[in-house]
Amino acid sequence: MQSSTLLTLSAKGIIPRVDYAIFADTGWEPKAVYEHLDRLEEEIAAPAGIPVLRVSAGNIRNDALNPDHRFASMPLHILNQDGRPGMTRRQCTGEYKIKPIKKKVRELLGYPYPNRIPKHVFVEQWVGISTDEFHRAKDADVKYMRNRHPLLDMSWSRADCVRYLTSLGLADTPKSSCLGCPFHGNAQWRQIRDTSPSEWTDVVEFDAAIRQGNARANVTGNKLLGEAFLHRSRVPLSQAPIDHVTSAERAALRISADEADVLENGLEDGCSPWACRGDADALTPDDFGLAT
């Protein structure tokens, strides 16, 4: 939502025109996201002369199931052998979004890796973060990228972004996140199940395939000490309670009202390369019982 707003504001001349827009494709976005991106490119970016560059480090779904491919782990929900819940580390955002974006930026600057970038050469990178998530605004971790947050400069909230896109006929802007992202809420799982049977079949099959962790780890002997699931309930996705969570279930799970909201609606806005809503990075292997 915020990134689409930023691109549209630039294309319409409300803020200066950007040189490029970069979309990091994990290879497993919902069909609605690809359709939205096509529309943005054709109706908004192209008429304004803004190239939309699509970058990728591969297909995250295929890589997870490929025993010959080194895989950056998804934040899977784990049920340990002793019954304790846990979560695997989130490495996918860095591997499938941030790295390919940085690679493309270096190419645009004329200094592809491993060339050293002079201190005076850098790109000003505009990141779509609104006022309701200002705490996610951070400086870049490399000197050749300098982050700026125009929506914060304009004091725009997510609601402002929704109103603006709605006025342009873009009210149906979808969240950008992997089709089988473990951070989905029940509403997102229902949306997939009820509107796209083929995509629902896809995620159910993937959920079953990763029960013992990613294929590469199993082949190399780093097996998961427990079972992995896409849904927070830690039961097979085809059986997960995605239609509603009763008060009794909430009590059994010992979750707060805020946690129940996340269970239903997922993490706000999806997965941004520079402000991923997931908090699994804080976990270590010992926290969720992975074999060492």
Side-chain angles (χ1 to χ4, degrees), residues 164-266:
Y164 178 65
L165 292 178
T166 299
S167 72
L168 298 173
L170 294 168
D172 57 349
T173 297
K175 292 182 179 182
S176 175
S177 60
C178 287
L179 188 63
C181 179
F183 287 132
H184 281 343
N186 286 339
Q188 290 163 283
W189 290 123
R190 288 196 302 273
Q191 175 73 12
I192 297 171
R193 182 195 64 188
D194 298 341
T195 65
S196 182
S198 62
E199 291 185 324
W200 177 247
T201 298
D202 185 13
V203 292
V204 167
E205 290 178 350
F206 180 80
D207 173 70
I210 51 85
R211 193 71 69 236
Q212 301 306 318
N214 74 74
R216 179 64 174 172
N218 285 313
V219 167
T220 58
N222 296 309
K223 294 185 178 181
L224 192 65
L225 300 183
E227 293 184 312
F229 302 87
L230 288 183
H231 193 266
R232 293 167 184 265
S233 62
R234 295 173 174 82
V235 299
L237 185 58
S238 59
Q239 304 169 28
I242 67 174
D243 287 300
H244 66 280
V245 179
T246 66
S247 57
E249 287 171 332
R250 263 201 305 274
L253 291 171
R254 297 180 181 179
I255 58 178
S256 66
D258 287 342
E259 290 170 325
D261 180 69
V262 170
L263 184 61
E264 171 63 16
N265 298 308

Side-chain angles (χ1 to χ4, degrees), residues 25-48:
D25 184 5
T26 66
W28 201 29
E29 294 276 348
K31 179 182 177 182
V33 170
Y34 293 116
E35 292 175 344
H36 175 72
L37 183 61
D38 289 341
R39 185 182 177 192
L40 276 182
E41 185 171 9
E42 295 169 8
E43 299 180 13
I44 303 296

Side-chain angles (χ1 to χ4, degrees), residues 126-168:
W126 291 7
V127 183
I129 292 179
S130 51
T131 55
D132 40 308
E133 53 181 19
F134 72 91
H135 57 285
R136 300 188 186 279
K138 298 179 177 65
D139 293 331
D141 60 353
V142 289
K143 293 182 179 179
Y144 61 86
M145 300 170 76
R146 299 185 184 179
N147 288 351
R148 181 181 169 188
H149 307 89
L151 295 178
L152 295 183
D153 296 338
M154 299 170 64
S155 297
W156 274 36
S157 66
R158 186 178 188 279
D160 292 319
C161 296
V162 172
R163 281 192 291 269
Y164 178 65
L165 292 178
T166 299
S167 72
L168 298 173

Side-chain angles (χ1 to χ4, degrees), residues 107-125:
E107 292 173 359
L108 294 172
L109 289 174
Y111 296 91
Y113 183 83
N115 293 294
R116 183 177 180 181
I117 301 178
K119 291 183 179 180
H120 67 280
V121 176
F122 64 92
V123 62
E124 182 174 280
Q125 176 173 254

